[in-house]
Amino acid sequence: GAVVSQHPSWVICKSGTSVKIECRSLDFQATTMFWYRQFPKQSLMLMATSNEGSKATYEQGVEKDKFLINHASLTLSTLTVTSAHPEDSSFYICSARGPTEAFFGQGTRLTVV
Amino acid sequence: GENVGLHLPTLSVQEGDNSIINCAYSNSASDYFIWYKQESGKGPQFIIDIRSNMDKRQGQRVTVLLNKTVKHLSLQIAATQPGDSAVYFCAEIRSGTSYDKVIFGPGTSLSVIP
């Protein structure tokens, strides 16, 4: 089946630094990818839609200057958390639309200290 | 961002019993729904889907029921096993002009007692 890979699986960074998370579709092309954030014991919250070759579309309340999204190719989208703060610590999950359904990455656990 | 809710109800069942997980959705225009399973520290896995022109769909050990009148979905797991312990989410697929969004419900944590 189609696979979506995220990297890294977990990352610890210092407050004020930036962190980049990669999302790759391994065996299919994805013009659209999605980024979610999930806090402990909560649901996945859609942050933004990443569109290949154009600007990302952000959900209401999500700061586009803080969460930079780049979808430079049909198999790669990146999410950069800029000037990270402890409240940005969360589980970030990407998704890519395959031929028949959406596939999810394994998630990235971000801890900001 | 969109999110149906911030609560995570829990359900405990004995191994071998049947489990029923419920979900209410918000958008009456949604025409496609998916149940996902999420194990700790992992991304969601597709379990089963259903379109709005159906009221029931069966898979292997799982059945999804859809009641559009009251905007309610349920997931039934037969002969629940310890490996079924996870968080289960229903999701609405909202169609857009260029792409569909997957919007997750609040989730239910299923704990199987051996």
Side-chain angles (χ1 to χ4, degrees), chain B residues 75-112:
Chain B
L75 177 70
Q76 300 177 4
I77 305 173
T80 314
Q81 301 168 1
D84 295 327
S85 293
V87 178
Y88 290 81
F89 295 96
C90 68
E92 300 174 62
I93 312 308
R94 296 190 186 171
S95 300
T97 51
S98 302
Y99 51 80
D100 299 337
K101 290 184 187 180
V102 180
I103 305 299
F104 286 82
T108 297
S109 177
L110 175 65
S111 178
V112 181

Side-chain angles (χ1 to χ4, degrees), chain B residues 3-72:
Chain B
N3 198 334
V4 176
L6 300 179
H7 305 287
L8 191 62
T10 58
L11 173 67
S12 294
V13 297
Q14 287 288 143
E15 181 178 359
D17 287 353
N18 296 334
S19 303
I20 300 176
I21 300 170
N22 297 302
C23 175
Y25 63 93
S26 57
N27 191 338
S28 57
S30 295
D31 59 3
Y32 181 43
F33 304 89
I34 300 175
W35 278 99
Y36 288 96
K37 174 184 180 183
Q38 186 182 30
E39 297 175 330
S40 181
K42 297 183 179 180
Q45 292 176 279
F46 174 96
I47 301 174
I48 191 169
D49 59 357
I50 189 168
R51 296 204 173 270
S52 60
N53 60 352
M54 305 170 70
D55 53 20
K56 180 180 180 179
R57 189 158 188 231
Q58 287 185 294
Q60 188 176 18
R61 276 203 311 120
V62 295
T63 300
V64 55
L65 300 177
L66 173 62
N67 185 330
K68 295 184 290 295
T69 303
V70 295
K71 293 189 284 187
H72 183 268

